[in-house]
Structure formats: C-alpha cells, structure tokens
C-alpha cells in the first residue's frame, strides 16, 4: 500500500523560498565576516573560540600593564642613573680641589676660592639629591615632601621602597634611598657633611687644616665608593627591567597573533566562499523561476 502526498503550488513556493532564505542567510554571514574581518562576532558563532579570544584579550591587557610598569621603572632608573653619574663627576671635582688644598704653597685667597667652588659643588650635589621624577624626589622613598634633603643636607624622606611589577610574581625596586647613596645623617662619610668640613678646613675654621683635609679626603673616598656601588646596582636593575620589558613585548606579539588566529577570518577563503554562495544563489533563483510555472488559475481565466 503506497502513501501519496499532495504537492500544491504553495508547497513548492514555500520550499523554494526556504531554500532561498537559507542561501541568503549564508551570504549575509559571509558578508558580515568580510566587513568586520572577524570570524567570531558573537558567542553563538563559536563558543570555544569565544572563550579562547576572551582569554587572549585578558592576557594582552595584563601583559600591556607589565610593559607599562617596566617603562615607568626604566624612566625612574634612568633618571636615577643620570643623577648619580652627575654626582660622581661633581665628587670627582671635589676630590681634585681637596688635593689642591693640601698644597702648602697656597695662600688664604687661593684656599678661599677652592672652598667657594666646593660650596658651589655641594649645592649642586644637593640639587642632584633632590632630583624629581613626576614631581616626586627619586631619593626620598615614598615621602610626600617636595625634597629629599634640606639645605643643611638632612634627609627628609622615609626610606620606603618603590617597586614595579614587571612580570607575574616579579617585582623590581625602581628607587634608591638617599642614605644609601649619600650616607646616613651623622656618619663620618655623610657626603654633605664631608664637603662642609672640607670647606671649613680650607677657610682655617678647624684646629688642624692639613689633618682635617686628609680626614675629609678619606671620608670623601668612602662616599664616592658608595655612589659608584649604587650606580652599579642601578645599572643592573635597569638591565633586568629592560629584559623583562622586551619579554613582555614578545609575549604581547604572541598573544596578539593567537587572538587573530582565534577570531579573524581567512580572507582569501572567505572571499571564495562568498563567490560560491553568490553563484549558488543565482542558480537557485533560476531554478525557482523555471519550477514555479503558471498555476491552474492561469488556465481558468
């Protein structure tokens, strides 16, 4: 026993329209992908790739922050390096002047001139000690004070550490505290105290000029060695942060490429697919025009 189905004109029309709508839907999706350049525009397009894209974007934002932290750390360390280098040059000049002051052939006027130059260098070193980055003293720790040192050479900072997170679980100190560079208040090798004593000795304001100048020279050498040591530490930190920044930039490139692979279209492939769908749609239109022939009503007129 066979079962017969009644095929009407409406059935044929609905079938043809459904096929055309499906074809147009595929064309619309391909056109949307071409216009946006993205294979995944909404989670329903591909839940798996959507999750991957979200993870890659999160990694990109996190890595970009590490790179920004590294750039800021490099700026602080670079400013510190420049200040220490200038300070080292100034202390070198002070040492030369102190050795000149030990010459017994100098008259009081010559020693006064040397003392005046040392005073000027001391003021310059205080300026270096109060060097700022983003309007904060780089040698003052986390202090809210405008300067790290006052005019007398007394430390005004708090000795706090300024760190930058440059990689997951990696923090690097970006600052150097003033006492670690210029000596602690009250120490014999406190740089600004040493310079003041040398200047006073040259002016004859101490009991034994030669002995005081010799002592000042020894203390100055200790202070200079401390600056050199700190300068080396800053350079090592700078290199480390720069390495981490380069690593962050490489990681950022990798994550960006992975994100592109997860959600971007294959342009040549998508263009070919769109052209194939256009050909199929035109063929479907032609077939529909041939199948949907005049109905019974055309013969009943």
């Amino acid at each position: 026993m066979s079962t017969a189905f009644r095929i009407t004109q409406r059935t044929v029309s609905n079938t043809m329209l459904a096929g055309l709508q499906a074809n147009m839907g595929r064309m619309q999706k391909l056109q949307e992908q071409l216009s946006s350049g993205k294979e995944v525009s909404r989670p329903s397009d591909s839940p798996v790739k959507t999750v991957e894209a979200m993870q890659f974007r999160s990694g990109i934002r996190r890595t970009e922050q590490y790179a920004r932290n590294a750039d800021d750390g490099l700026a602080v360390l670079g400013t510190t390096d420049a200040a220490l280098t200038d300070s080292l040059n100034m202390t070198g000049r002070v040492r030369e002047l102190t050795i000149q002051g030990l010459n017994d052939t100098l008259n009081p006027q010559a020693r006064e001139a040397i003392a005046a130059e040392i005073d000027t260098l001391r003021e310059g070193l205080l300026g270096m000690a109060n060097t700022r980055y983003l309007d904060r003293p780089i040698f003052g720790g986390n202090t809210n004070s405008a300067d790290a040192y006052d005019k007398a050479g007394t430390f005004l900072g708090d000795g706090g550490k300024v760190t930058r997170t440059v990689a997951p679980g990696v923090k690097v100190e970006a600052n150097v505290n003033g006492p670690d560079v210029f000596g602690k208040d009250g120490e014999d090798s406190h740089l600004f105290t040493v310079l003041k004593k040398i200047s006073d000795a040259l002016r004859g304001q101490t009991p034994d000029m030669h002995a005081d100048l010799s002592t000042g020279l020894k203390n100055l050498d200790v202070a200079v060695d401390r600056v050199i040591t700190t300068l080396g530490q800053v350079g090592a930190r700078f290199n480390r942060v720069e390495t981490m920044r380069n690593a962050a930039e490489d990681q950022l490139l990798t994550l960006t490429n992975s994100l592109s692979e997860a959600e971007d279209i294959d342009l040549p492939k998508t263009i070919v697919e769109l052209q194939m769908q256009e050909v199929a749609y035109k063929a479907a239109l032609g077939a529909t025009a041939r199948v949907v022939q005049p109905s019974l009503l055309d013969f009943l007129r």
Side-chain angles (χ1 to χ4, degrees), residues 60-105:
I60 288 173
R61 288 193 295 269
R62 183 168 55 251
T63 305
E64 286 176 341
Q65 185 61 57
Y66 289 143
R68 286 193 293 269
N69 292 346
D71 286 335
D72 184 68
L74 288 174
V76 176
L77 291 170
T79 303
T80 304
D81 182 270
L84 291 176
T85 301
D86 291 340
S87 298
L88 195 60
N89 293 333
M90 290 182 183
T91 54
R93 177 57 180 166
V94 172
R95 193 178 191 283
E96 293 176 2
L97 293 172
T98 304
I99 293 174
Q100 289 181 19
L102 287 169
N103 190 340
D104 293 332
T105 62

Side-chain angles (χ1 to χ4, degrees), residues 125-202:
L125 285 166
L126 279 171
M128 290 295 102
N130 288 323
T131 300
R132 299 182 185 181
Y133 175 76
L134 296 180
D135 205 32
R136 299 192 66 174
I138 60 176
F139 296 110
N142 293 310
T143 181
N144 291 322
S145 176
D147 294 322
Y149 285 87
D150 61 15
K151 293 182 179 181
T154 303
F155 184 60
L156 303 176
D158 59 6
K161 294 181 179 180
V162 178
T163 61
R164 294 293 182 269
T165 302
V166 295
V170 179
K171 291 185 178 181
V172 178
E173 288 187 36
N175 75 313
V176 176
N177 283 305
D180 296 333
V181 183
F182 306 105
K184 297 179 181 179
D185 295 343
E187 285 185 344
D188 292 337
S189 61
H190 183 266
L191 180 59
F192 305 115
T193 302
V194 171
L195 298 185
K196 181 67 168 58
K197 288 182 177 180
I198 291 175
S199 177
D200 291 343
L202 287 169

Side-chain angles (χ1 to χ4, degrees), residues 202-216:
L202 287 169
R203 290 189 171 94
Q205 299 177 1
T206 59
D208 189 338
M209 183 190 69
H210 284 281
D212 293 333
L213 285 179
S214 297
T215 301

